[in-house]
Amino acid sequence: MLDPIGPLTSSPTIRRHPANPILTYRDVPYPAALVFNAGVTRYQGRYAMVFRNDYGDFAAQTLAGTNLGLAFSDDGVRWEVAPEPCFDDAAAALAATLRPGDFLRAYDPRLTVLEGRCYMTFAIDTRHGVRGGLAVTGDFAHWEILSTTVPENRNLALFPERIGGRYVRLERPMPVYGRGGQERFDVWLRDASDLRAWANPTLLLAVEDVPFANRKLGPAAPPVKTSRGWLTTFHAVDFDPARGKNGWEPVWQKRYTAGLMLLDLEDPRRIVGLSSVPLMAPEAPYEVEGGFRNNVLFPGGMVLEDSGEVKFYYGAADTVMCLATASVDDLVALCLAR
């Protein structure tokens, strides 16, 4: 039996943007219902967002499928959505490499600009397990699939530069049997010479390392580089059997919060700082009520501005996209607090 975590609050270092939510299904010019868990980066002079769109009927609380939408912004707050989804052709090409009928959907994208190109990691649901994928684009219209994982793995987050000459990513394998037959997952790190053959798996952060999680962890937004280390978010999940109906489903007993850690610049397998409290916990109305799954925060994008402001883009209640900001110095201090 898991011990309940109890009430959690967001760190005072973080500020939710007054325009939240910054993107909803009403902003999408094609069928949409839940717009969330987007990857966001700055690329070629503007902000780019690839978002998960679970389309269907929001009012009727029914869903029909999932695609990936594309949006751009000049200020990171106001977004213009492209007239059609952006990954359908690549998804079809990926499906063609699998057994007929095996591919179900691609979702939960994250964007990393690396060596002048934009890379996207994403999850893949198949009839033989959940996998992670990595693709690259120069224009968001044409995508090359570089690699996919074996099941069960997801939540890939690519670092924005090589470290020690090798590419590095975070990931979240799902070893149910090895973790006592339950959903108790951790954050791992691997590297590669070519973005295709990933090796050297290392356990980075375990559930038992995080006092505000009792169920599972996973990488969140791709890390950003600071003078003190790689600023790295993760999502932390706690379970409480006392929770009842918290969204569209009959029962939703989990809560997703955002955690923060600092990894060594030259050896990201070494954690140099870890916040003992959540960076963000569900508190705002659009995070705790009226959504598909309430009490959920899922950071998928993090942008460090030249001013020292950090923009966090996160899905709220598995329903809308939101923005929060903080000072990079405050975030580093939060990780290094003793």
Side-chain angles (χ1 to χ4, degrees), residues 15 90 97 110 124 129 156 158-159 162 266 268 302 325 336:
R15 296 173 295 279
T97 68
R110 293 152 200 208
I124 310 161
L156 311 184
L158 184 66
F159 282 67
R162 299 193 209 197
E266 297 182 356
M302 179 168 52
T325 61
L336 297 175

Side-chain angles (χ1 to χ4, degrees), residues 82-149:
E84 58 186 22
C86 71
F87 197 65
D88 285 356
D89 290 347
L94 175 59
T97 68
L98 306 177
R99 288 187 177 190
D102 200 32
F103 177 87
L104 299 176
R105 63 177 180 171
Y107 60 103
D108 288 0
R110 293 152 200 208
L111 302 179
T112 301
V113 175
L114 172 64
E115 298 171 348
R117 304 185 76 190
C118 190
Y119 292 82
M120 183 174 77
T121 61
F122 55 98
I124 310 161
D125 277 352
T126 80
R127 297 190 188 280
H128 292 87
V130 181
R131 304 171 65 175
L134 174 64
V136 63
T137 187
D139 58 9
F140 295 98
H142 305 91
W143 298 85
E144 178 187 2
I145 307 293
L146 298 176
S147 62
T148 58
T149 71

Side-chain angles (χ1 to χ4, degrees), residues 29-75:
Y30 46 86
L34 309 175
V35 172
F36 63 115
N37 291 8
V40 182
T41 191
R42 284 186 304 185
Y43 185 63
Q44 296 182 344
R46 56 182 174 170
Y47 297 84
M49 174 192 290
V50 177
F51 58 87
R52 171 177 172 175
N53 171 39
D54 287 4
Y55 55 87
D57 189 323
F58 184 86
Q61 298 187 356
T62 59
L63 299 174
T66 299
N67 54 36
L68 299 182
L70 175 66
F72 295 102
S73 173
D74 291 326
D75 62 5

Side-chain angles (χ1 to χ4, degrees), residues 26 61 153 191:
R26 295 182 178 88
Q61 298 187 356
N153 201 348
D191 57 36

Side-chain angles (χ1 to χ4, degrees), residues 19-33:
N20 279 345
I22 59 169
L23 197 71
T24 78
Y25 76 93
R26 295 182 178 88
D27 303 309
V28 180
Y30 46 86

Side-chain angles (χ1 to χ4, degrees), residues 78-337:
R78 295 176 292 271
W79 294 87
E80 182 177 352
V81 178
E84 58 186 22
C86 71
F87 197 65
D88 285 356
D89 290 347
L94 175 59
T97 68
L98 306 177
R99 288 187 177 190
D102 200 32
F103 177 87
L104 299 176
R105 63 177 180 171
Y107 60 103
D108 288 0
R110 293 152 200 208
L111 302 179
T112 301
V113 175
L114 172 64
E115 298 171 348
R117 304 185 76 190
C118 190
Y119 292 82
M120 183 174 77
T121 61
F122 55 98
I124 310 161
D125 277 352
T126 80
R127 297 190 188 280
H128 292 87
V130 181
R131 304 171 65 175
L134 174 64
V136 63
T137 187
D139 58 9
F140 295 98
H142 305 91
W143 298 85
E144 178 187 2
I145 307 293
L146 298 176
S147 62
T148 58
T149 71
V150 298
E152 300 276 344
N153 201 348
R154 58 176 294 188
N155 295 140
L156 311 184
L158 184 66
F159 282 67
E161 64 181 62
R162 299 193 209 197
I163 303 173
R166 294 181 66 81
Y167 300 102
V168 182
R169 78 179 185 199
L170 304 174
E171 58 185 42
R172 205 279 304 282
M174 298 178 283
V176 174
Y177 292 115
R179 290 291 269 159
Q182 60 181 321
E183 191 182 54
R184 191 169 176 84
F185 310 141
D186 313 299
V187 177
W188 288 68
L189 182 148
R190 287 206 286 176
D191 57 36
S193 63
D194 60 359
L195 290 168
R196 297 179 186 272
W198 293 87
N200 305 313
T202 302
L203 175 62
L204 180 66
L205 185 70
V207 176
E208 53 267 30
D209 300 329
V210 178
F212 46 93
N214 66 9
R215 196 61 175 258
K216 59 182 177 178
L217 307 176
V224 298
K225 191 175 187 179
T226 76
S227 61
R228 303 294 299 274
W230 292 103
L231 194 64
T232 306
T233 55
F234 58 91
H235 63 266
V237 181
D238 72 282
F239 176 89
D240 188 337
R243 296 180 185 132
K245 183 173 174 59
N246 286 298
W248 293 14
E249 299 167 308
V251 177
W252 175 246
Q253 296 171 312
K254 298 176 185 176
R255 172 177 52 185
Y256 278 63
T257 56
L260 191 69
M261 59 182 168
L262 199 64
L263 308 180
D264 186 82
L265 286 175
E266 297 182 356
D267 179 12
R269 288 176 168 83
R270 189 170 74 87
I271 299 174
V272 297
L274 173 66
S275 175
S276 62
V277 297
L279 174 65
M280 294 186 71
E283 295 169 308
Y286 45 82
E287 299 163 357
V288 300
E289 60 188 39
F292 175 67
R293 287 175 171 166
N294 298 321
N295 298 321
V296 173
L297 299 176
F298 198 92
M302 179 168 52
V303 176
L304 174 57
E305 306 288 8
D306 293 339
S307 64
E309 179 187 72
V310 178
K311 288 185 170 71
F312 293 96
Y313 294 91
Y314 66 98
D318 280 0
T319 302
V320 295
M321 277 303 302
C322 296
L323 170 64
T325 61
S327 158
V328 66
D329 292 336
D330 289 345
L331 297 174
V332 169
L334 183 64
C335 292
L336 297 175

